[in-house]
Amino acid sequence: MPPKSDLPQGTLDLLILKTVAMGPVHGYAIGQRLQQVSRDVVQVPQGSLYPALHRLETRGYLAADWKLTDTGREAKFYQLTRKGRVQLDAEAESWKRLAEAVGLILQVPEGAAE
């Protein structure tokens, strides 16, 4: 089992938006998908996940409706709004640029600056 990773500030919102963009999903399933897709590296505690979902809904990035889950329990299902799609695209592009820049820095051989 790979070690879990602490998410950098602001990353959780991006990951939630990306997960919800795949289709309507309830909160618990979002956490499960993140953990599964990341091969257990990303594990989001409920104490972080649900406040983030509320924040994204308040900002208009997510819309939510109460529906029944596959197990017959009622849960809040989230879907991406148009505003959320714009935010997801902007945040994803920003992270891609940052990841590329960090990758370039990590490729510099040690002692190369001397």
Side-chain angles (χ1 to χ4, degrees), residues 7 20-21 31 37 41 52 54 57 64 67 77 86 91 95 98 104-105 108:
L7 294 175
V20 175
V37 170
V41 173
H54 180 72
E57 186 179 5
K67 297 179 184 176
F77 279 73
V86 170
E91 286 190 35
W95 271 101
L98 178 60
L104 291 171
I105 293 166
V108 174

Side-chain angles (χ1 to χ4, degrees), residues 15-41:
L15 298 179
I16 290 172
L17 292 174
K18 179 62 178 177
T19 302
V20 175
M22 295 182 228
V25 63
H26 58 84
Y28 179 77
I30 292 169
Q32 292 297 308
R33 278 192 196 165
L34 290 172
Q35 186 172 346
Q36 179 184 25
V37 170
S38 71
R39 298 182 181 139
D40 292 323
V41 173

Side-chain angles (χ1 to χ4, degrees), residues 38-59:
S38 71
R39 298 182 181 139
D40 292 323
V41 173
V42 175
Q43 297 177 27
V44 183
Q46 290 184 7
S48 298
L49 178 62
Y50 289 101
L53 287 168
H54 180 72
R55 179 176 61 252
L56 293 169
E57 186 179 5
T58 300
R59 291 179 181 167

